[in-house]
């Protein structure tokens, strides 16, 4: 039923958008930021609804559905208006998308709050946490880099993959700085979370990861970001708090390590 | 309106009042502004994005009790609860790079699956190693209160 409403909405909006688009082409319109904001809300809410009625089936993660559905709608609309998807995205979606995107800045800063709430654990284990994340990340980077080369990924794509240990908002500017494509980085960060959601329990069992609760937390937090933190919390409260610490600390570690690694292997 | 506020504050007199939401926003805006001035000072070989500077700044301010949790908690938790939604535009950004996906999509997905498993396993085992060292070499305490 929701999708029907959306179809009707889109028809009306599409007509309006046609005018907006021709105005954008002449640089006269500033009003169509509304379309980007509206589309983002609609696809995300559809994602949440699907996630709810499917009892949390992993492929229906709201963010993942929102991304795929959003691109698909832009692709269809671009066809309808006779332009290519990239041009249509830039002129119609980007003004609104950028407004929502901007709020990632204060949202990233806000992660200092959960970090501070676990300050007792951070204070006691800071050396182990930092050492483990630095050493673990360097080893992981070498393996990921070699695996990427083995599959013949281009330099730009490799550079987009390396910073994905960090949370998306931090990984994207680092990817741009080392010659990667931030859009690919964002997709990979989303995929990381989807993979951990789908395979997390199985991987924890097969690799006996829960033998060390602190390690399980840091590993899940790094590999799966906030989704990994939720998985870790299911294993126990130590794992959960370690995972949320890892999400923040690994982002800072990535920022320190990845640009140096990229120069070392000659990516830039 | 004013009467309602008085009642609700009278109900919870012991608990410290959260700062008004506009003040909380103001603190975030101030941190963001200062961070945006600090971030360009880093050299291009060592980029530190504005939000990372801000994250560290807010953590330091909280740890030194210059900013209290009640000054930023409400707005901060609200933003974190929205984080998945805020990432939707980053995902849709891919619409501008569909050509890369056509060329390398399957390869990227295979490498990402490998990368995710590698990060999980390597970091978990590295940590287990360092915790083992703390326990057996330095005889440190590794128990954590639940």
């Amino acid at each position: 039923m929701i999708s029907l409403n959306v179809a009707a909405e889109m028809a009306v909006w599409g007509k309006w958008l046609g005018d907006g688009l021709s105005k954008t082409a002449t640089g006269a319109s500033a009003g169509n930021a509304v379309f980007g904001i509206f589309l983002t809300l609609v696809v995300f809410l559809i994602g949440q609804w699907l996630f709810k009625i499917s009892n949390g089936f992993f492929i229906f993660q709201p963010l993942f559905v929102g991304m795929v559905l959003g691109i698909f709608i832009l692709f269809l609309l671009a066809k309808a208006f006779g332009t290519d998807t990239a041009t249509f995205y830039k002129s119609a979606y980007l003004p609104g998308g950028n407004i929502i995107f901007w709020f990632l800045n204060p949202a990233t800063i806000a992660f200092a709050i959960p970090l501070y709430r676990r300050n007792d654990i951070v204070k006691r284990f800071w050396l182990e946490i930092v050492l483990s994340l630095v050493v673990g990340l360097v080893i992981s980077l070498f393996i990921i880099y070699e695996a990427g080369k083995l599959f013949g990924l281009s330099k730009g794509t490799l550079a987009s993959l390396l910073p994905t240990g960090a949370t998306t908002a931090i990984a994207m500017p680092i990817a741009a700085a080392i010659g990667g494509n931030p859009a690919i980085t964002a997709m990979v960060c989303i995929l990381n979370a989807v993979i951990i959601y789908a395979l997390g329990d199985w991987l924890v069992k097969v690799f006996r990861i829960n033998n060390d609760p602190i390690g399980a937390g840091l590993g899940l937090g790094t590999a799966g970001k906030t989704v990994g933190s939720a998985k870790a919390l299911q294993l126990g409260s130590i794992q959960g708090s370690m995972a949320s610490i890892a999400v923040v600390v690994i982002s800072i570690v990535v920022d320190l390590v990845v640009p140096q690694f990229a120069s070392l292997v000659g990516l830039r | 309106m004013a009467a309602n506020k008085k009642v609700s504050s009278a109900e919870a007199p012991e608990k410290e009042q959260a700062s008004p939401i506009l003040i909380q926003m103001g603190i975030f805006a101030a941190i963001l502004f200062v961070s945006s001035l600090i971030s360009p000072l880093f050299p291009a070989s060592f980029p530190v994005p504005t939000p990372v500077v801000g994250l560290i700044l807010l953590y330091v301010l909280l740890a030194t009790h210059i900013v209290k949790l009640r000054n930023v908690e409400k707005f901060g938790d609200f933003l974190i609860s929205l984080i998945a939604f805020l990432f939707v535009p980053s995902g849709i950004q891919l619409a501008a790079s569909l050509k890369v996906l056509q060329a390398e999509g399957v390869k990227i997905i295979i490498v990402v699956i490998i990368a995710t498993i590698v990060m999980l396993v390597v970091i978990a085992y590295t940590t287990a190693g360092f915790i083992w060292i703390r326990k057996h070499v330095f005889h440190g305490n590794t128990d954590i209160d639940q």
Side-chain angles (χ1 to χ4, degrees), chain B residues 1-115:
Chain B
M1 278 284 274
N4 279 345
K5 259 186 192 165
K6 266 180 192 161
V7 170
S8 64
S9 64
E11 273 170 3
E14 296 97 356
K15 225 187 168 193
E16 277 187 290
Q17 283 278 298
S19 302
I21 207 74
L22 274 179
I23 301 229
Q24 304 205 8
M25 284 177 170
I27 292 172
F28 273 89
I31 291 172
L32 203 53
F33 177 66
V34 173
S35 311
S36 72
L37 298 179
I38 296 174
S39 177
L41 300 179
F42 289 93
S45 57
F46 176 46
V48 184
T50 304
V52 183
V53 180
L55 200 168
I56 297 168
L57 215 56
L58 179 57
Y59 179 74
V60 170
L61 288 173
L62 283 169
T64 53
H65 302 289
I66 296 170
V67 170
K68 309 268 191 308
L69 263 183
R70 64 184 176 86
N71 299 137
V72 288
E73 207 169 23
K74 212 171 168 188
F75 187 57
D77 285 343
F78 170 68
L79 283 171
I80 291 176
S81 73
L82 283 183
I83 198 93
F85 168 71
L86 297 179
F87 277 124
V88 173
S90 325
I92 292 183
Q93 202 182 3
L94 210 64
S97 319
L98 287 179
K99 275 185 194 140
V100 185
L101 267 196
Q102 261 167 8
E104 297 188 289
V106 179
K107 283 192 268 182
I108 292 177
I109 289 171
I110 295 171
V111 176
V112 170
I113 293 175
I114 297 172

Side-chain angles (χ1 to χ4, degrees), chain A residues 148-224:
Chain A
K149 269 208 319 204
L150 195 72
F151 279 93
L153 292 182
S154 67
K155 266 192 171 184
T157 311
L158 269 173
S160 323
L161 273 175
L162 292 179
T164 52
T167 183
T168 318
I170 295 171
M172 286 182 6
I174 299 173
I178 61 172
N181 181 343
I184 305 258
T185 306
M187 180 199 71
V188 172
C189 286
I190 295 171
L191 272 179
N192 280 336
V194 172
I195 292 164
I196 286 295
Y197 197 94
L199 302 178
D201 297 324
W202 181 76
L203 288 170
V204 167
K205 218 186 276 169
V206 168
F207 291 101
R208 297 169 189 276
I209 279 166
N210 207 17
N211 284 352
D212 180 66
I214 299 178
L218 293 182
L220 281 169
T222 305

Side-chain angles (χ1 to χ4, degrees), chain A residues 46-128:
Chain A
I46 292 175
Q48 277 193 329
W49 176 72
L50 279 175
F51 194 67
K52 203 177 147 199
I53 62 158
S54 65
N55 281 325
F57 187 54
F58 74 92
I59 210 81
F60 288 145
Q61 268 196 69
L63 176 53
F64 190 66
V65 174
M67 171 186 140
V68 173
L69 202 60
I71 293 174
F72 184 63
I73 290 173
L74 286 178
F75 171 78
L76 287 184
L77 285 175
K79 271 243 160 102
F81 288 113
T83 52
D84 65 303
T85 315
T87 319
F88 187 82
Y89 160 79
K90 277 188 191 118
S91 59
Y93 179 78
L94 201 57
N98 272 344
I99 292 176
I100 295 172
F101 178 74
W102 183 86
F103 281 91
L104 276 178
N105 287 310
T108 308
I109 294 176
F111 274 103
I113 296 169
L115 187 62
Y116 177 70
R117 283 198 191 116
R118 317 278 188 205
N119 217 12
D120 53 327
I121 305 180
V122 177
K123 271 185 187 158
R124 275 187 58 202
F125 288 98
W126 68 271
L127 187 64
E128 279 83 3

